[in-house]
Amino acid sequence: MPKNWDPQCVLGLFTWSTDNVKHHGELDVEYSYWGKKKNKWNMQFVVQPHTKKKNRFRFTSDIHQPKTLQILISRKAIGFSAAGDTTEEIRFVSRKRWDPQLRVFPRINLWLYQGLPPSSGKEVEVIITSYKFLPL
């Protein structure tokens, strides 16, 4: 992430299903300051719906440090991890059950928190150096 990551910008890496299921099988890894320059956390793992407190894990991470992010899905649990070259690994496990028949696809989006423009007035760019999908 750029050192001057705008607090209005949100980078989302997530799963999505077009099947007729509740919450579209959405699992999220999100980077953002959520509109606050000095937010106490800047990253979150989410099993939708995010409104259930135990479905969301928020934490502070050095977002300028490259990371390996994982979403691990099994029938009995959903796991997330974020590991950087110089940071300890952060893990979150949800005990939510997963339907193995659900077809989900990876997606990436870059959006503006509450629809407000970047506070810097500048364009934002994210470079993803690698992506891998490993079916279970």
Side-chain angles (χ1 to χ4, degrees), residues 19-103:
D19 292 348
N20 187 20
V21 294
K22 221 175 194 181
H23 308 292
H24 302 283
E26 186 175 350
L27 308 171
D28 302 284
V29 174
E30 294 175 313
Y31 286 104
S32 183
Y33 289 107
W34 305 103
K36 299 175 188 171
K37 261 191 174 176
K38 297 193 178 202
N39 205 333
K40 65 181 179 182
W41 44 262
N42 59 10
M43 197 168 173
Q44 67 180 10
F45 299 142
V46 182
V47 176
Q48 293 295 341
H50 72 278
T51 51
K52 290 186 177 179
K53 204 172 190 176
K54 60 183 172 183
N55 283 6
R56 182 171 55 187
F57 178 70
R58 294 176 171 173
F59 58 98
T60 300
S61 179
D62 180 356
I63 65 173
H64 313 301
Q65 177 72 29
K67 300 255 182 308
T68 297
L69 303 168
Q70 292 182 326
I71 299 175
L72 307 164
I73 301 169
S74 74
R75 290 179 187 204
K76 295 183 179 180
I78 299 163
F80 296 84
S81 74
D85 293 337
T86 61
T87 59
E88 68 179 299
E89 185 172 13
I90 305 215
R91 293 178 183 213
F92 168 65
V93 176
S94 167
R95 297 293 175 212
K96 185 173 180 178
R97 293 197 166 272
W98 187 263
D99 178 358
Q101 300 302 314
L102 183 62
R103 296 174 303 140

Side-chain angles (χ1 to χ4, degrees), residues 1 5 8-14 29-32 34 42 44 69 108-112 126-128:
M1 297 300 222
W5 184 253
Q8 291 305 122
C9 295
V10 181
L11 173 63
L13 307 143
F14 60 105
V29 174
E30 294 175 313
Y31 286 104
S32 183
W34 305 103
N42 59 10
Q44 67 180 10
L69 303 168
I108 300 170
N109 62 12
L110 182 60
W111 53 281
L112 297 169
V126 174
I127 298 170
I128 296 173

